[in-house]
Amino acid sequence: MTNTLSSPQLVVALDVPRRADALTMARTLKGTAPWCKVGMEMFTHAGPAFLEELVAMGYKVFLDLKFYDIPNTVGQAVKSAAGVGVDMLTLHCQGGERMCRAACEAVASLDGKKPLLFGVTVLTSFAQGEMPGIRENTSDFALALARGAQGWGLDGVVCSGHEVAGIKAACPGFSCLCPGIRPSGSAADDQRRTMTPAQAVAAGADYLVVGRPIIAASDPRAAAEQILADMTSAT
Ligand code: C5P
């Protein structure tokens, strides 16, 4: 599927412990990032109703639960998530061909909005050699997973900015969504394969996922606007 964007989009990760704080953050950031990401921390706390609130606020919603299970379970989970109205979902490429195809078939069977499916390659928190059982170079491993994911019908992959150029060259038309984004001078936290917003955009990323550099900033809206300016400077 060819669905790369003409200009990269910012996704804010609403990784806060309380629903009320996440809603306040979403209101504060309205008009900056078009996307909000809900991950396992907020989803297990606030549930599907919270996703519907974000949809009602006009956000595109990315449900980042990184599904990894048997094909039937993942296919049914994709249908459940789509029923809430999310625009994007993640699953692990390492779930393999049958699991990823089951997710794609679930999306294809939907009558209404069809969420984009993104496959996680190598978490941006992994440094080279840290992935259990994987000796291969991180970029090579991410690329191999991306090639598979494109063939299995996913819309794109989650990867670090360091892998984007290789994936774009090998998988034309395939989208890359990059976490591990850190404005220059900011703390890496637990991330290991990081890039600045401008570097990731210059590498060809379609979506940049940013959490702590925005949500933990003293002025989150100003932080988001600075990241958007940094992204624009690289286009
Ligand atoms: O705070 P920070 O910018 O590091 O947040 C990154 C977000 O992206 C987190 O919500 C994390 O779960 C998510 N993510 C990631 N690496 C991946 C996939 C998702 O950091 N490979």
mmCIF file with all atom_site columns, all heavy atoms in Angstrom, residues 56-72:
data_model
loop_
_atom_site.group_PDB
_atom_site.id
_atom_site.type_symbol
_atom_site.label_atom_id
_atom_site.label_alt_id
_atom_site.label_comp_id
_atom_site.label_asym_id
_atom_site.label_entity_id
_atom_site.label_seq_id
_atom_site.pdbx_PDB_ins_code
_atom_site.Cartn_x
_atom_site.Cartn_y
_atom_site.Cartn_z
_atom_site.occupancy
_atom_site.B_iso_or_equiv
_atom_site.pdbx_formal_charge
_atom_site.auth_seq_id
_atom_site.auth_comp_id
_atom_site.auth_asym_id
_atom_site.auth_atom_id
_atom_site.pdbx_PDB_model_num
ATOM 1   N N   . ALA A 1 56 ? -13.784 12.690  19.654 1.00 0.00 ? 56 ALA A N   1
ATOM 2   C CA  . ALA A 1 56 ? -14.776 13.776  19.703 1.00 0.00 ? 56 ALA A CA  1
ATOM 3   C C   . ALA A 1 56 ? -14.110 15.149  19.749 1.00 0.00 ? 56 ALA A C   1
ATOM 4   O O   . ALA A 1 56 ? -14.675 16.141  19.282 1.00 0.00 ? 56 ALA A O   1
ATOM 5   C CB  . ALA A 1 56 ? -15.682 13.596  20.921 1.00 0.00 ? 56 ALA A CB  1
ATOM 6   N N   . MET A 1 57 ? -12.888 15.215  20.294 1.00 0.00 ? 57 MET A N   1
ATOM 7   C CA  . MET A 1 57 ? -12.158 16.491  20.336 1.00 0.00 ? 57 MET A CA  1
ATOM 8   C C   . MET A 1 57 ? -11.552 16.841  18.988 1.00 0.00 ? 57 MET A C   1
ATOM 9   O O   . MET A 1 57 ? -10.974 17.912  18.820 1.00 0.00 ? 57 MET A O   1
ATOM 10  C CB  . MET A 1 57 ? -11.024 16.412  21.375 1.00 0.00 ? 57 MET A CB  1
ATOM 11  C CG  . MET A 1 57 ? -11.499 16.466  22.805 1.00 0.00 ? 57 MET A CG  1
ATOM 12  S SD  . MET A 1 57 ? -10.118 16.179  23.962 1.00 0.00 ? 57 MET A SD  1
ATOM 13  C CE  . MET A 1 57 ? -9.234  17.712  23.812 1.00 0.00 ? 57 MET A CE  1
ATOM 14  N N   . GLY A 1 58 ? -11.644 15.916  18.042 1.00 0.00 ? 58 GLY A N   1
ATOM 15  C CA  . GLY A 1 58 ? -11.124 16.198  16.700 1.00 0.00 ? 58 GLY A CA  1
ATOM 16  C C   . GLY A 1 58 ? -9.726  15.678  16.454 1.00 0.00 ? 58 GLY A C   1
ATOM 17  O O   . GLY A 1 58 ? -9.136  15.970  15.415 1.00 0.00 ? 58 GLY A O   1
ATOM 18  N N   . TYR A 1 59 ? -9.192  14.927  17.397 1.00 0.00 ? 59 TYR A N   1
ATOM 19  C CA  . TYR A 1 59 ? -7.859  14.344  17.190 1.00 0.00 ? 59 TYR A CA  1
ATOM 20  C C   . TYR A 1 59 ? -7.928  13.080  16.332 1.00 0.00 ? 59 TYR A C   1
ATOM 21  O O   . TYR A 1 59 ? -8.915  12.343  16.380 1.00 0.00 ? 59 TYR A O   1
ATOM 22  C CB  . TYR A 1 59 ? -7.226  13.953  18.534 1.00 0.00 ? 59 TYR A CB  1
ATOM 23  C CG  . TYR A 1 59 ? -6.547  15.091  19.235 1.00 0.00 ? 59 TYR A CG  1
ATOM 24  C CD1 . TYR A 1 59 ? -7.113  15.680  20.363 1.00 0.00 ? 59 TYR A CD1 1
ATOM 25  C CD2 . TYR A 1 59 ? -5.328  15.577  18.780 1.00 0.00 ? 59 TYR A CD2 1
ATOM 26  C CE1 . TYR A 1 59 ? -6.489  16.733  21.021 1.00 0.00 ? 59 TYR A CE1 1
ATOM 27  C CE2 . TYR A 1 59 ? -4.692  16.642  19.434 1.00 0.00 ? 59 TYR A CE2 1
ATOM 28  C CZ  . TYR A 1 59 ? -5.278  17.199  20.543 1.00 0.00 ? 59 TYR A CZ  1
ATOM 29  O OH  . TYR A 1 59 ? -4.652  18.240  21.182 1.00 0.00 ? 59 TYR A OH  1
ATOM 30  N N   . LYS A 1 60 ? -6.880  12.851  15.577 1.00 0.00 ? 60 LYS A N   1
ATOM 31  C CA  . LYS A 1 60 ? -6.666  11.525  15.027 1.00 0.00 ? 60 LYS A CA  1
ATOM 32  C C   . LYS A 1 60 ? -6.056  10.708  16.163 1.00 0.00 ? 60 LYS A C   1
ATOM 33  O O   . LYS A 1 60 ? -5.157  11.206  16.861 1.00 0.00 ? 60 LYS A O   1
ATOM 34  C CB  . LYS A 1 60 ? -5.717  11.571  13.835 1.00 0.00 ? 60 LYS A CB  1
ATOM 35  C CG  . LYS A 1 60 ? -6.309  12.290  12.643 1.00 0.00 ? 60 LYS A CG  1
ATOM 36  C CD  . LYS A 1 60 ? -5.350  12.246  11.478 1.00 0.00 ? 60 LYS A CD  1
ATOM 37  C CE  . LYS A 1 60 ? -5.875  13.079  10.338 1.00 0.00 ? 60 LYS A CE  1
ATOM 38  N NZ  . LYS A 1 60 ? -4.901  13.181  9.234  1.00 0.00 ? 60 LYS A NZ  1
ATOM 39  N N   . VAL A 1 61 ? -6.528  9.486   16.326 1.00 0.00 ? 61 VAL A N   1
ATOM 40  C CA  . VAL A 1 61 ? -6.133  8.710   17.502 1.00 0.00 ? 61 VAL A CA  1
ATOM 41  C C   . VAL A 1 61 ? -5.353  7.465   17.110 1.00 0.00 ? 61 VAL A C   1
ATOM 42  O O   . VAL A 1 61 ? -5.791  6.681   16.256 1.00 0.00 ? 61 VAL A O   1
ATOM 43  C CB  . VAL A 1 61 ? -7.376  8.324   18.332 1.00 0.00 ? 61 VAL A CB  1
ATOM 44  C CG1 . VAL A 1 61 ? -6.983  7.456   19.523 1.00 0.00 ? 61 VAL A CG1 1
ATOM 45  C CG2 . VAL A 1 61 ? -8.083  9.583   18.822 1.00 0.00 ? 61 VAL A CG2 1
ATOM 46  N N   . PHE A 1 62 ? -4.219  7.335   17.734 1.00 0.00 ? 62 PHE A N   1
ATOM 47  C CA  . PHE A 1 62 ? -3.309  6.221   17.511 1.00 0.00 ? 62 PHE A CA  1
ATOM 48  C C   . PHE A 1 62 ? -3.308  5.373   18.786 1.00 0.00 ? 62 PHE A C   1
ATOM 49  O O   . PHE A 1 62 ? -2.884  5.834   19.847 1.00 0.00 ? 62 PHE A O   1
ATOM 50  C CB  . PHE A 1 62 ? -1.930  6.803   17.197 1.00 0.00 ? 62 PHE A CB  1
ATOM 51  C CG  . PHE A 1 62 ? -0.762  5.859   17.196 1.00 0.00 ? 62 PHE A CG  1
ATOM 52  C CD1 . PHE A 1 62 ? -0.907  4.486   17.062 1.00 0.00 ? 62 PHE A CD1 1
ATOM 53  C CD2 . PHE A 1 62 ? 0.525   6.375   17.301 1.00 0.00 ? 62 PHE A CD2 1
ATOM 54  C CE1 . PHE A 1 62 ? 0.193   3.640   17.046 1.00 0.00 ? 62 PHE A CE1 1
ATOM 55  C CE2 . PHE A 1 62 ? 1.635   5.544   17.284 1.00 0.00 ? 62 PHE A CE2 1
ATOM 56  C CZ  . PHE A 1 62 ? 1.463   4.173   17.171 1.00 0.00 ? 62 PHE A CZ  1
ATOM 57  N N   . LEU A 1 63 ? -3.820  4.160   18.676 1.00 0.00 ? 63 LEU A N   1
ATOM 58  C CA  . LEU A 1 63 ? -3.837  3.238   19.824 1.00 0.00 ? 63 LEU A CA  1
ATOM 59  C C   . LEU A 1 63 ? -2.601  2.355   19.739 1.00 0.00 ? 63 LEU A C   1
ATOM 60  O O   . LEU A 1 63 ? -2.475  1.496   18.862 1.00 0.00 ? 63 LEU A O   1
ATOM 61  C CB  . LEU A 1 63 ? -5.108  2.394   19.791 1.00 0.00 ? 63 LEU A CB  1
ATOM 62  C CG  . LEU A 1 63 ? -5.265  1.380   20.939 1.00 0.00 ? 63 LEU A CG  1
ATOM 63  C CD1 . LEU A 1 63 ? -5.293  2.076   22.299 1.00 0.00 ? 63 LEU A CD1 1
ATOM 64  C CD2 . LEU A 1 63 ? -6.513  0.535   20.751 1.00 0.00 ? 63 LEU A CD2 1
ATOM 65  N N   . ASP A 1 64 ? -1.679  2.590   20.661 1.00 0.00 ? 64 ASP A N   1
ATOM 66  C CA  . ASP A 1 64 ? -0.373  1.927   20.616 1.00 0.00 ? 64 ASP A CA  1
ATOM 67  C C   . ASP A 1 64 ? -0.312  0.832   21.687 1.00 0.00 ? 64 ASP A C   1
ATOM 68  O O   . ASP A 1 64 ? 0.296   1.016   22.738 1.00 0.00 ? 64 ASP A O   1
ATOM 69  C CB  . ASP A 1 64 ? 0.723   2.981   20.827 1.00 0.00 ? 64 ASP A CB  1
ATOM 70  C CG  . ASP A 1 64 ? 2.122   2.406   20.729 1.00 0.00 ? 64 ASP A CG  1
ATOM 71  O OD1 . ASP A 1 64 ? 2.302   1.375   20.051 1.00 0.00 ? 64 ASP A OD1 1
ATOM 72  O OD2 . ASP A 1 64 ? 3.033   3.008   21.332 1.00 0.00 ? 64 ASP A OD2 1
ATOM 73  N N   . LEU A 1 65 ? -0.944  -0.287  21.391 1.00 0.00 ? 65 LEU A N   1
ATOM 74  C CA  . LEU A 1 65 ? -0.922  -1.407  22.347 1.00 0.00 ? 65 LEU A CA  1
ATOM 75  C C   . LEU A 1 65 ? 0.014   -2.522  21.887 1.00 0.00 ? 65 LEU A C   1
ATOM 76  O O   . LEU A 1 65 ? 0.173   -3.525  22.588 1.00 0.00 ? 65 LEU A O   1
ATOM 77  C CB  . LEU A 1 65 ? -2.342  -1.947  22.571 1.00 0.00 ? 65 LEU A CB  1
ATOM 78  C CG  . LEU A 1 65 ? -3.317  -0.951  23.218 1.00 0.00 ? 65 LEU A CG  1
ATOM 79  C CD1 . LEU A 1 65 ? -4.684  -1.587  23.419 1.00 0.00 ? 65 LEU A CD1 1
ATOM 80  C CD2 . LEU A 1 65 ? -2.773  -0.431  24.552 1.00 0.00 ? 65 LEU A CD2 1
ATOM 81  N N   . LYS A 1 66 ? 0.596   -2.360  20.726 1.00 0.00 ? 66 LYS A N   1
ATOM 82  C CA  . LYS A 1 66 ? 1.621   -3.302  20.228 1.00 0.00 ? 66 LYS A CA  1
ATOM 83  C C   . LYS A 1 66 ? 1.155   -4.754  20.369 1.00 0.00 ? 66 LYS A C   1
ATOM 84  O O   . LYS A 1 66 ? 1.758   -5.562  21.090 1.00 0.00 ? 66 LYS A O   1
ATOM 85  C CB  . LYS A 1 66 ? 2.950   -3.101  20.960 1.00 0.00 ? 66 LYS A CB  1
ATOM 86  C CG  . LYS A 1 66 ? 3.504   -1.690  20.831 1.00 0.00 ? 66 LYS A CG  1
ATOM 87  C CD  . LYS A 1 66 ? 4.833   -1.545  21.525 1.00 0.00 ? 66 LYS A CD  1
ATOM 88  C CE  . LYS A 1 66 ? 5.398   -0.152  21.431 1.00 0.00 ? 66 LYS A CE  1
ATOM 89  N NZ  . LYS A 1 66 ? 4.636   0.873   22.159 1.00 0.00 ? 66 LYS A NZ  1
ATOM 90  N N   . PHE A 1 67 ? 0.094   -5.075  19.651 1.00 0.00 ? 67 PHE A N   1
ATOM 91  C CA  . PHE A 1 67 ? -0.466  -6.425  19.742 1.00 0.00 ? 67 PHE A CA  1
ATOM 92  C C   . PHE A 1 67 ? 0.562   -7.486  19.346 1.00 0.00 ? 67 PHE A C   1
ATOM 93  O O   . PHE A 1 67 ? 1.291   -7.344  18.361 1.00 0.00 ? 67 PHE A O   1
ATOM 94  C CB  . PHE A 1 67 ? -1.686  -6.559  18.820 1.00 0.00 ? 67 PHE A CB  1
ATOM 95  C CG  . PHE A 1 67 ? -2.867  -5.716  19.214 1.00 0.00 ? 67 PHE A CG  1
ATOM 96  C CD1 . PHE A 1 67 ? -3.666  -5.135  18.239 1.00 0.00 ? 67 PHE A CD1 1
ATOM 97  C CD2 . PHE A 1 67 ? -3.200  -5.499  20.539 1.00 0.00 ? 67 PHE A CD2 1
ATOM 98  C CE1 . PHE A 1 67 ? -4.774  -4.370  18.582 1.00 0.00 ? 67 PHE A CE1 1
ATOM 99  C CE2 . PHE A 1 67 ? -4.314  -4.735  20.899 1.00 0.00 ? 67 PHE A CE2 1
ATOM 100 C CZ  . PHE A 1 67 ? -5.092  -4.167  19.909 1.00 0.00 ? 67 PHE A CZ  1
ATOM 101 N N   . TYR A 1 68 ? 0.579   -8.549  20.107 1.00 0.00 ? 68 TYR A N   1
ATOM 102 C CA  . TYR A 1 68 ? 1.475   -9.689  19.830 1.00 0.00 ? 68 TYR A CA  1
ATOM 103 C C   . TYR A 1 68 ? 0.798   -10.911 20.441 1.00 0.00 ? 68 TYR A C   1
ATOM 104 O O   . TYR A 1 68 ? 0.835   -11.112 21.659 1.00 0.00 ? 68 TYR A O   1
ATOM 105 C CB  . TYR A 1 68 ? 2.837   -9.438  20.460 1.00 0.00 ? 68 TYR A CB  1
ATOM 106 C CG  . TYR A 1 68 ? 3.856   -10.544 20.269 1.00 0.00 ? 68 TYR A CG  1
ATOM 107 C CD1 . TYR A 1 68 ? 4.559   -10.654 19.073 1.00 0.00 ? 68 TYR A CD1 1
ATOM 108 C CD2 . TYR A 1 68 ? 4.125   -11.458 21.273 1.00 0.00 ? 68 TYR A CD2 1
ATOM 109 C CE1 . TYR A 1 68 ? 5.506   -11.656 18.894 1.00 0.00 ? 68 TYR A CE1 1
ATOM 110 C CE2 . TYR A 1 68 ? 5.062   -12.469 21.111 1.00 0.00 ? 68 TYR A CE2 1
ATOM 111 C CZ  . TYR A 1 68 ? 5.746   -12.556 19.911 1.00 0.00 ? 68 TYR A CZ  1
ATOM 112 O OH  . TYR A 1 68 ? 6.677   -13.550 19.738 1.00 0.00 ? 68 TYR A OH  1
ATOM 113 N N   . ASP A 1 69 ? 0.149   -11.725 19.596 1.00 0.00 ? 69 ASP A N   1
ATOM 114 C CA  . ASP A 1 69 ? -0.584  -12.882 20.105 1.00 0.00 ? 69 ASP A CA  1
ATOM 115 C C   . ASP A 1 69 ? -0.850  -13.805 18.919 1.00 0.00 ? 69 ASP A C   1
ATOM 116 O O   . ASP A 1 69 ? -0.338  -13.571 17.809 1.00 0.00 ? 69 ASP A O   1
ATOM 117 C CB  . ASP A 1 69 ? -1.898  -12.408 20.770 1.00 0.00 ? 69 ASP A CB  1
ATOM 118 C CG  . ASP A 1 69 ? -2.341  -13.316 21.919 1.00 0.00 ? 69 ASP A CG  1
ATOM 119 O OD1 . ASP A 1 69 ? -2.360  -14.547 21.716 1.00 0.00 ? 69 ASP A OD1 1
ATOM 120 O OD2 . ASP A 1 69 ? -2.655  -12.799 22.999 1.00 0.00 ? 69 ASP A OD2 1
ATOM 121 N N   . ILE A 1 70 ? -1.670  -14.820 19.128 1.00 0.00 ? 70 ILE A N   1
ATOM 122 C CA  . ILE A 1 70 ? -1.971  -15.707 18.008 1.00 0.00 ? 70 ILE A CA  1
ATOM 123 C C   . ILE A 1 70 ? -2.835  -14.944 16.983 1.00 0.00 ? 70 ILE A C   1
ATOM 124 O O   . ILE A 1 70 ? -3.489  -13.961 17.329 1.00 0.00 ? 70 ILE A O   1
ATOM 125 C CB  . ILE A 1 70 ? -2.675  -17.007 18.478 1.00 0.00 ? 70 ILE A CB  1
ATOM 126 C CG1 . ILE A 1 70 ? -4.009  -16.691 19.158 1.00 0.00 ? 70 ILE A CG1 1
ATOM 127 C CG2 . ILE A 1 70 ? -1.751  -17.803 19.396 1.00 0.00 ? 70 ILE A CG2 1
ATOM 128 C CD1 . ILE A 1 70 ? -4.841  -17.943 19.466 1.00 0.00 ? 70 ILE A CD1 1
ATOM 129 N N   . PRO A 1 71 ? -2.806  -15.378 15.727 1.00 0.00 ? 71 PRO A N   1
ATOM 130 C CA  . PRO A 1 71 ? -3.484  -14.608 14.674 1.00 0.00 ? 71 PRO A CA  1
ATOM 131 C C   . PRO A 1 71 ? -4.954  -14.325 14.975 1.00 0.00 ? 71 PRO A C   1
ATOM 132 O O   . PRO A 1 71 ? -5.424  -13.184 14.787 1.00 0.00 ? 71 PRO A O   1
ATOM 133 C CB  . PRO A 1 71 ? -3.336  -15.514 13.436 1.00 0.00 ? 71 PRO A CB  1
ATOM 134 C CG  . PRO A 1 71 ? -2.048  -16.244 13.679 1.00 0.00 ? 71 PRO A CG  1
ATOM 135 C CD  . PRO A 1 71 ? -2.019  -16.507 15.158 1.00 0.00 ? 71 PRO A CD  1
ATOM 136 N N   . ASN A 1 72 ? -5.702  -15.300 15.454 1.00 0.00 ? 72 ASN A N   1
ATOM 137 C CA  . ASN A 1 72 ? -7.122  -15.070 15.705 1.00 0.00 ? 72 ASN A CA  1
ATOM 138 C C   . ASN A 1 72 ? -7.333  -13.989 16.752 1.00 0.00 ? 72 ASN A C   1
ATOM 139 O O   . ASN A 1 72 ? -8.174  -13.094 16.583 1.00 0.00 ? 72 ASN A O   1
ATOM 140 C CB  . ASN A 1 72 ? -7.802  -16.373 16.152 1.00 0.00 ? 72 ASN A CB  1
ATOM 141 C CG  . ASN A 1 72 ? -9.276  -16.167 16.429 1.00 0.00 ? 72 ASN A CG  1
ATOM 142 O OD1 . ASN A 1 72 ? -10.036 -15.842 15.523 1.00 0.00 ? 72 ASN A OD1 1
ATOM 143 N ND2 . ASN A 1 72 ? -9.666  -16.312 17.686 1.00 0.00 ? 72 ASN A ND2 1
#
